[in-house]
Amino acid sequence: MESLKKNKDFTKVYRKGKSKANKYLVLYYLENNLSYNRVGISVSKKVGNSVVRHRLTRLIRESYRLNSDMFNSGLDIVVIARENAKGRTFKEIESALLHLGKIHKILNKK
């Protein structure tokens, strides 16, 4: 899994990409003309202290990793955790991520 690291990459996805949200996550995506996806994860300080933020980051990253074959390729994806995501289980985060993928129609038909 490639990740988005540079601020300008995040900004480009925010400005030009499409976004949808649910109770726990916000997902932005933008086509990147590459053969693979790049994923960026953002968890604000509003969500909690560093332990809480890093746990959420790990849950989101693992949710994407396990389901990466379901996502269309050639996308830059930014996932933002909302305050409600704090204290949620892996299954809840995973289902929220897949739900957003379905809404955006960026999941493969498998």
Side-chain angles (χ1 to χ4, degrees):
M1 178 176 105
E2 285 284 314
S3 58
L4 288 175
K5 291 188 174 72
K6 293 193 165 67
N7 188 35
K8 70 176 187 174
D9 292 335
F10 276 85
T11 307
K12 185 176 176 184
V13 176
Y14 291 144
R15 290 218 175 107
K16 297 182 179 177
K18 297 185 174 117
S19 74
K20 293 271 194 284
N22 60 23
K23 204 171 6 175
Y24 304 131
L25 303 172
V26 180
L27 188 142
Y28 285 81
Y29 82 96
L30 181 66
E31 292 187 14
N32 65 11
N33 299 320
L34 300 170
S35 61
Y36 54 89
N37 288 345
R38 298 186 304 174
V39 179
I41 299 168
S42 175
V43 185
S44 161
K45 283 187 177 181
K46 288 181 187 173
V47 175
N49 63 20
S50 67
V51 175
V52 171
R53 294 194 312 270
H54 284 90
R55 178 179 180 274
L56 269 172
T57 303
R58 289 193 310 271
L59 289 178
I60 294 167
R61 187 179 298 118
E62 186 66 2
S63 299
Y64 178 80
R65 187 187 71 81
L66 292 175
N67 297 291
S68 62
D69 58 326
M70 294 175 67
F71 284 85
N72 297 340
S73 55
L75 301 171
D76 283 346
I77 299 170
V78 175
V79 181
I80 302 168
R82 293 179 135 187
E83 285 184 65
N84 290 347
K86 181 168 58 177
R88 297 290 160 229
T89 64
F90 171 75
K91 281 289 179 199
E92 288 173 307
I93 298 297
E94 182 182 40
S95 103
L97 183 67
L98 293 174
H99 172 252
L100 287 172
K102 281 182 197 143
I103 291 174
H104 275 301
K105 296 181 175 75
I106 58 173
L107 292 181
N108 296 326
K109 305 279 190 248
K110 285 189 178 178

